[in-house]
Amino acid sequence: MRTLISSAFVSLDGVMEAPGGEPGYRNSGWTFKHTEFLPEAYEIKGREQEEATAMLLGRTSYEAFSPVWPDMADFARYKTLPKYVVSSTLAETDLVPNWGDTTILRTLDEVAALRATDGGPIIVQGSASLTHALADADLIDRYHLLVFPLLLGAGKRLFSSGDKDAQKLTLTEHEAYPNGIQKMVYDVTR
């Protein structure tokens, strides 16, 4: 079985919406507007690209990343990875042609089937609604979090507000950086 990893930039109060500048959110671009850039704080992002064998995205994140990431040197490795987009509405004709092999999955059962295959880690980038659904279905195995020293108030949250049993996480890696960012890697304990 493959490891499904949710990777997110998150504010201290749990907001993950529009960290890179996606339009429509009051605090859009909060990761670089309010926190000094220190390359070492983002080491995990490069490691994710090297270790991941596939990328899983929700429709909204796919539509935000696909016009930009294929031509960015910082995300060159993702161009070579198979990508899976979970959407009930996205059509094959909506997929960008310059970002490599992309498959549309329609249900969480299809995600579970992908996770059950042999292979390396599958990385979920952003994708708030998808992350909520995956966590509520107990499909996430690990969280890679970069927690920023900001309180953003309103916005899409990393974790759903669904009523469910407690889920234990085991801290497997952590580091604090001089700019206030904290890296936290948690494995889901089953």
Side-chain angles (χ1 to χ4, degrees):
M1 183 166 56
R2 299 169 86 170
T3 302
L4 189 60
I5 302 169
S6 172
S7 178
F9 293 154
V10 62
S11 67
L12 190 58
D13 59 347
V15 175
M16 66 180 292
E17 186 169 355
E22 299 80 2
Y25 176 59
R26 172 181 163 173
N27 290 311
S28 184
W30 51 268
T31 52
F32 299 111
K33 283 183 183 175
H34 303 291
T35 305
E36 175 191 0
F37 179 77
L38 294 177
E40 60 270 25
Y42 300 91
E43 172 275 334
I44 194 167
K45 303 312 286 177
R47 190 169 14 127
E48 287 171 353
Q49 285 189 65
E50 294 306 313
E51 294 174 358
T53 59
M55 186 166 39
L56 182 68
L57 298 164
R59 180 194 50 80
T60 301
S61 290
Y62 176 81
E63 289 175 342
F65 299 156
S66 65
V68 181
W69 281 19
D71 297 321
M72 288 183 70
D74 288 344
F75 301 111
R77 170 86 165 94
Y78 285 141
K79 193 168 187 170
T80 66
L81 293 180
K83 283 160 283 303
Y84 298 89
V85 183
V86 181
S87 173
S88 61
T89 59
L90 199 67
E92 293 288 331
T93 56
D94 296 325
L95 300 176
V96 298
N98 64 332
W99 205 18
D101 184 30
T102 304
T103 303
I104 299 172
L105 304 178
R106 299 293 181 197
T107 67
L108 290 181
D109 288 339
E110 290 181 274
V111 174
L114 172 66
R115 181 174 164 259
T117 62
D118 290 332
I122 302 167
I123 192 83
V124 180
Q125 296 286 358
S127 304
S129 297
L130 176 60
T131 298
H132 294 172
L134 293 169
D136 289 347
D138 197 27
L139 292 174
I140 294 177
D141 301 295
R142 181 174 299 142
Y143 291 93
H144 288 184
L145 306 177
L146 287 180
V147 181
F148 285 71
L150 298 169
L151 300 175
L152 298 175
K156 293 178 186 175
R157 305 281 170 180
L158 175 62
F159 298 105
S160 78
S161 59
D163 186 17
K164 62 182 185 179
D165 292 337
Q167 186 172 48
K168 182 164 174 32
L169 305 175
T170 302
L171 184 67
T172 60
E173 184 180 341
H174 63 91
E175 191 162 350
Y177 300 96
N179 62 358
I181 292 176
Q182 294 182 54
K183 171 180 65 180
M184 294 184 283
V185 175
Y186 290 99
D187 282 344
V188 175
T189 305
R190 293 189 169 87

